[in-house]
Amino acid sequence: MYVMTDDCMKHYTSMTVAVEISTVCASGISVILIAVAIRKSKSYFLSSTGSKIEKRMILHAAVASWFLLLWVATVYLSNAILSMYKFFDNLSFFIFFLQHYPPMLLILWIKYVLWCFFMYD
């Protein structure tokens, strides 16, 4: 299929809209769960190791969720504003990178604390 044909563009547009809606819904649900986790985390002792781990995991989930929302917004803008397609497409690629790879590295930082918590507690 060629991108310039009408059938291909209609299919691509409907697929992109479906992916964007489902991604926004999933990210919205995760933001709600993060808010609940923040509220529940206040019941722990502030200086306990479990509390530190929980705060870091909440921060990890929040950052990943917000970058996911930013990525979907830039993908939408790249299709909505055709005159700035290249800019928003490049920006969405950069935000996609930030949404996927730094959270994976952040887990390594959290993992050491988790390892110490389970080994010495």
Side-chain angles (χ1 to χ4, degrees):
M1 291 180 26
Y2 296 98
V3 176
M4 295 305 185
T5 63
D6 287 338
D7 290 340
C8 184
M9 276 310 276
K10 287 177 187 175
H11 175 71
Y12 177 75
T13 303
S14 64
M15 179 194 69
T16 303
V17 168
V19 167
E20 289 171 354
I21 289 171
S22 64
T23 304
V24 166
C25 289
S27 185
I29 290 169
S30 68
V31 168
I32 290 169
L33 291 174
I34 290 167
V36 170
I38 289 171
R39 181 162 265 229
K40 294 277 186 181
S41 72
K42 292 180 181 179
S43 64
Y44 290 117
F45 296 109
L46 295 177
S47 63
S48 70
T49 305
S51 177
K52 289 177 187 175
I53 293 170
E54 187 169 332
K55 287 177 186 174
R56 289 178 182 173
M57 293 299 287
I58 290 170
L59 175 67
H60 178 267
V63 168
S65 295
W66 284 112
F67 274 120
L68 184 62
L69 284 172
L70 283 173
W71 175 67
V72 170
T74 56
V75 169
Y76 173 76
L77 290 174
S78 70
N79 291 320
I81 305 172
L82 294 177
S83 62
M84 294 185 71
Y85 173 79
K86 278 275 198 207
F87 172 75
F88 285 118
D89 189 49
N90 291 332
L91 184 62
S92 72
F93 179 76
F94 180 69
I95 292 174
F96 178 81
F97 170 80
L98 289 176
Q99 192 266 332
H100 277 77
Y101 300 110
M104 286 185 218
L105 297 175
L106 188 60
I107 283 290
L108 297 175
W109 174 63
I110 294 171
K111 185 179 185 257
Y112 175 74
V113 177
L114 286 170
W115 182 78
C116 289
F117 177 68
F118 289 116
M119 292 300 288
Y120 299 115
D121 216 18

